[in-house]
Amino acid sequence: MSLYSIADAQLAFGHVALLDHADFSLEAGERVGLIGRNGAGKSSLLKIVAGLMQPDDGLVSRQQNLSTVYVPQEPEFAPDMTVFDAVAAGLDEARAALDEYDAVAHELAATPEGAAHDTLLARMNALQSRLDVTNAWNWRTRVATTLAQLSLDGDARVGALSGGMQKRVALARALVVDPDVLLLDEPTNHLDFDGIRWLEDLLVGARAGLFFITHDRAFLDRVATRIVELDRGNLLSYPGNFSAYQTRKAQQLEVERVENEKFDKLLAQEEVWIRKGVEARRTRSVGRIARLVQMRRERAERRNVQGNVKLDVGQGERSGKIVAELVDVTKRYGERTIVDRFSTTVMRGDKIGFVGPNGAGKTTLLKLILGEIAPDEGTVRVGTNLQVAYFDQMRAQLDQEKSLADTISPGSDWIEINGARKHVMSYLGDFLFAPERARSPVKSLSGGERNRLLLARLFARPANVLVLDEPTNDLDIPTLELLEELLGDYDGTVLLVSHDRAFLDNVVTSVIASEGGGRWREYVGGFTDWQTQHERATRLAEEAAAARAPSAPPRAAQAQEAAAGRAAQRAAKLSYKEQRELEALPEKIAALEAEQKAIGAQLEDGSIFAKDAREGARLTERYAAIDDELMAALERWEELEAKRK
């Protein structure tokens, strides 16, 4: 039985149907990725599943006592709240029930036997059953365990954390509930590469059913076991990950195109027939006329595939051959070194990606290359005739009160792109903004629409150097793919900061990566190439360090043997049964780890859910149970080791 299902759902805002008789269900253990164009209604559907919204029509079914937790795209916390309190807020209902139980217990102790006493006793029994079911008695331990699992400091103030760490706190608040269904809206926003990999591992091993929105294609490939696309009001399901979806979607669109062409051709023939002369009118078929009326109605109601953004960069004059040259550049802020003796040469036409954890100094390095800040040591030589266009991830360049048209072309109805004049309404239409929205204020736009407007503003200005700081946030997948194609054909220089691994792979020709401690290094190729080269370099460095390490001197070896002998003598403190148990535990732990790894591989592949949803659910439960068995085995091993010593 499905955890949650909705049948024949309808939802509309104004004249646009976001859900048009749509069906959806979520099975236990499934990890479903929801994709679709910006504004298609993905967040609305997620809120319907969370119970925060209701559809205009449709049948909603959910399992009894189903626990559902929703993590919004931008979680909100009181800035002075501690991380412990923020995570514990997920258990507010359980804590309130525990407080009520204590109050009823005190009142019961002071109430003599009678009707009031019996009422209090019944209430206390009901609360006890509820607390048993929700495991609320040890809520502090649950919070502390979750904080440890997610590497969070419970005493830290939420307001002092980065966006990525705040997203981690929001996930901890959701996971501490141990929900049956976890709903995530853009979970990778504000996370760096390490954070995204950590989240992938966490979700692949989670017990809960997962329904999430993301435009990160690599994340979808790793986590999703099924893709659901919200397309023109319909929910279309595709088993497997994003790569499998792309293949099936292309086939489906081709079939749809052929069928529409046949329909339109037949409609055109019928329109010619109905307009024939008097002779034809005498022999008209009433049924044929009725069919024509029906075909006209179907054609009018057809919702065609939404057009894609039309991207075209205003090309500036060619820059000098060398865009920037850095020699032994160092930059510090206080005691912290952001860039330490870094040298590189950026040539015209280079497409460079900057990667590293949040706070590593990617934006500082960009400003050094562009000559916006001076280094503390070393030299920076900026090339000639640079025309820089800057995409700011914080959208600080957008005035919230200005209209869309004034943002693109202040004081004029025309803009010039590559020497050709274009009306601002037509240009906004290229970025999927309807003419009636051109006078709307920027503050009325969604996050994805604001990024589209920022791209429109960026590309309306002549430039030979594009600086893109997290341009992919909130953009839908078709726009991302078009932007990749545009940047691939762009003749100028591209400096790109992004945490979208697929986008980096498809755009950049080299990567400048943070190596920690202010050290930066340049690698040839995209993100995957950098990962491969970096891992190989790290492994070789570790092997070289091991080879240089001196072997243990003879006395040390003798001391180790003596210690082993003393340990063998102390082992006599264990009973025979305990000694056998201790010897068997390492093998048991290894077997559990191997079993969990094998199950994890099946769950990560996702095909098991397409073949047998019940088996997929069983494997998910077994994966979580192995965690408990491993913990118990490790605790027992530590207990026996302590006793042996």
Side-chain angles (χ1 to χ4, degrees):
M1 178 183 175
S2 300
L3 295 176
Y4 178 94
S5 66
I6 183 169
D8 203 31
Q10 298 182 62
L11 179 70
F13 287 113
H15 66 284
V16 179
L18 299 180
L19 296 177
D20 189 5
H21 301 281
D23 300 324
F24 170 73
S25 65
L26 180 67
E27 304 290 337
E30 269 196 310
R31 301 191 297 273
V32 179
L34 177 62
I35 64 175
R37 302 300 294 261
N38 288 334
K42 300 186 297 297
S43 293
S44 297
L45 175 60
L46 207 66
K47 289 177 181 177
I48 288 174
V49 178
L52 303 176
M53 284 178 60
Q54 294 298 323
D56 299 333
D57 196 8
L59 178 64
V60 176
S61 303
R62 62 173 67 231
Q63 280 191 8
Q64 190 174 8
N65 300 321
L66 184 72
S67 171
T68 303
V69 177
Y70 169 68
V71 181
Q73 187 171 338
E74 300 292 342
E76 295 182 359
F77 300 99
D80 58 344
M81 179 182 284
T82 66
V83 170
F84 184 93
D85 290 338
V87 174
L91 298 173
D92 276 350
E93 289 186 13
R95 293 164 64 190
L98 190 58
D99 291 342
E100 185 181 356
Y101 177 88
D102 291 338
V104 169
H106 282 97
E107 190 175 351
L108 184 65
T111 302
E113 292 188 5
H117 184 278
D118 292 343
T119 301
L120 287 171
L121 185 61
R123 179 57 182 160
M124 185 174 174
N125 289 334
L127 285 169
Q128 182 171 349
S129 298
R130 180 177 165 191
L131 292 169
D132 288 339
V133 169
T134 58
N135 192 23
W137 302 103
N138 61 341
W139 68 268
R140 288 186 177 277
T141 303
R142 287 170 62 184
V143 173
T145 302
T146 304
L147 291 175
Q149 289 174 340
L150 274 65
S151 303
L152 290 169
D153 179 6
D155 295 327
R157 297 285 168 182
V158 177
L161 300 179
S162 65
M165 292 304 291
Q166 287 192 17
K167 179 61 71 80
R168 193 174 285 216
V169 173
L171 289 165
R173 182 172 61 183
L175 293 171
V176 75
V177 181
D178 192 19
D180 300 310
V181 176
L182 183 59
L183 306 171
L184 305 177
D185 193 351
E186 293 288 359
T188 62
N189 275 10
H190 308 301
L191 295 181
D192 55 27
F193 296 121
D194 291 336
I196 292 172
R197 280 194 291 266
W198 161 83
L199 180 60
E200 288 173 347
D201 293 337
L202 180 73
L203 295 179
V204 166
R207 179 192 68 86
L210 181 63
F211 189 35
F212 63 97
I213 298 171
T214 186
H215 300 306
D216 187 326
R217 291 157 289 178
F219 187 84
L220 282 166
D221 258 346
R222 173 83 196 283
V223 175
T225 58
R226 178 160 64 101
I227 301 292
V228 169
E229 181 182 22
L230 182 51
D231 181 21
R232 291 164 282 170
N234 296 314
L235 287 169
L236 309 174
S237 181
Y238 301 86
N241 61 10
F242 183 75
S243 296
Y245 152 80
Q246 285 182 302
T247 303
R248 291 188 175 95
K249 182 64 176 179
Q251 296 168 348
Q252 176 196 321
L253 287 176
E254 179 61 21
V255 170
E256 182 179 332
R257 183 190 65 79
V258 171
E259 289 178 350
N260 285 342
E261 284 181 356
K262 290 179 180 178
F263 181 93
D264 292 344
K265 184 177 179 180
L266 179 59
L267 177 60
Q269 291 171 348
E270 294 298 291
E271 294 287 2
V272 170
W273 170 81
I274 200 68
R275 288 173 175 78
K276 283 184 178 178
V278 176
E279 296 80 5
R281 291 196 194 103
R282 295 194 188 120
T283 59
R284 279 179 186 157
S285 164
V286 175
R288 192 169 179 182
I289 294 172
R291 186 181 70 169
L292 175 59
V293 172
Q294 177 63 25
M295 289 177 70
R296 285 173 174 172
R297 185 181 299 114
E298 289 179 15
R299 182 63 185 87
E301 292 177 352
R302 182 198 298 171
R303 295 179 66 181
N304 290 321
V305 177
Q306 185 181 5
N308 212 338
V309 177
K310 297 176 183 176
L311 299 180
D312 188 18
V313 182
Q315 297 276 0
E317 298 178 14
R318 285 166 65 91
S319 67
K321 188 174 182 180
I322 293 179
V323 173
E325 185 177 31
L326 283 67
V327 179
D328 290 335
V329 167
T330 297
K331 184 66 180 176
R332 302 182 185 89
Y333 286 109
E335 298 295 321
R336 187 179 171 212
T337 301
I338 305 297
V339 180
D340 186 14
R341 297 190 304 279
F342 178 64
S343 299
T344 190
T345 302
V346 180
M347 307 296 290
R348 181 179 64 224
D350 281 352
K351 296 177 176 63
I352 303 175
F354 295 80
V355 303
N358 292 331
K362 298 184 291 291
T363 303
T364 299
L365 184 54
L366 268 176
K367 290 180 177 178
L368 285 168
I369 290 173
L370 297 172
E372 295 180 6
I373 58 176
D376 296 330
E377 299 173 15
T379 58
V380 175
R381 183 165 68 92
V382 179
T384 58
N385 196 30
L386 297 188
Q387 294 174 288
V388 180
Y390 202 100
F391 182 99
D392 174 21
Q393 66 164 319
M394 304 308 293
R395 310 185 188 110
Q397 302 167 42
L398 295 179
D399 186 334
Q400 301 296 311
E401 302 302 325
K402 273 190 175 181
S403 69
L404 275 61
D406 285 340
T407 299
I408 298 300
S409 181
S412 173
D413 289 338
W414 298 89
I415 60 173
E416 188 171 312
I417 304 290
N418 294 328
R421 292 182 79 229
K422 195 168 191 176
H423 197 277
V424 68
M425 296 292 187
S426 175
Y427 184 70
L428 283 170
D430 290 345
F431 288 81
L432 307 184
F433 292 110
E436 56 267 22
R437 300 191 67 186
R439 303 300 174 190
S440 302
V442 171
K443 64 184 179 183
S444 68
L445 302 180
S446 69
E449 289 173 326
R450 291 185 194 190
N451 267 19
R452 257 196 278 135
L453 181 65
L454 198 53
L455 286 174
R457 185 178 185 274
L458 177 80
F459 295 156
R461 288 152 175 73
N464 50 38
V465 177
L466 290 181
V467 181
L468 306 176
D469 192 353
E470 293 291 357
T472 61
N473 283 353
D474 303 319
L475 290 181
D476 56 42
I477 291 172
T479 306
L480 281 176
E481 291 173 343
L482 198 67
L483 182 57
E484 289 172 353
E485 184 179 338
L486 173 80
L487 294 176
D489 296 336
Y490 180 57
D491 292 333
T493 305
V494 177
L495 305 177
L496 171 65
V497 176
S498 178
H499 291 132
D500 188 320
R501 294 158 290 180
F503 191 78
L504 283 166
D505 267 339
N506 294 334
V507 171
V508 304
T509 55
S510 64
V511 166
I512 295 179
S514 170
E515 305 272 290
R519 297 185 305 276
W520 296 83
R521 184 177 172 186
E522 189 165 5
Y523 295 84
V524 176
F527 177 84
T528 304
D529 299 311
W530 162 68
Q531 270 196 317
T532 302
Q533 294 175 62
H534 179 67
E535 289 171 1
R536 184 185 301 126
T538 302
R539 185 175 65 254
L540 291 174
E542 290 174 351
E543 290 173 356
R548 289 193 301 268
S551 57
R555 289 186 179 180
Q558 293 173 4
Q560 289 175 359
E561 290 177 6
R566 290 193 297 271
Q569 292 174 357
R570 288 197 299 269
K573 295 180 181 178
L574 294 175
S575 67
Y576 177 81
K577 184 178 179 181
E578 289 173 331
Q579 181 65 28
R580 299 283 76 77
E581 183 183 2
L582 178 60
E583 291 172 356
L585 275 172
E587 185 177 342
K588 179 181 179 182
I589 292 170
L592 286 171
E593 289 175 340
E595 182 185 0
Q596 190 176 50
K597 184 177 180 181
I599 293 175
Q602 286 184 273
L603 295 177
E604 187 174 334
D605 174 68
S607 59
I608 184 67
F609 291 96
K611 296 175 184 175
D612 188 346
R614 184 172 296 178
E615 176 65 10
R618 188 193 70 78
L619 288 175
T620 303
E621 292 176 2
R622 176 56 186 157
Y623 189 96
I626 291 175
D627 274 336
D628 297 333
E629 292 181 28
L630 274 172
M631 185 61 70
L634 288 168
E635 288 175 353
R636 180 58 175 164
W637 181 80
E638 289 179 358
E639 178 186 340
L640 292 175
E641 275 291 316
K643 184 177 180 182
R644 185 173 70 87
K645 293 177 180 179

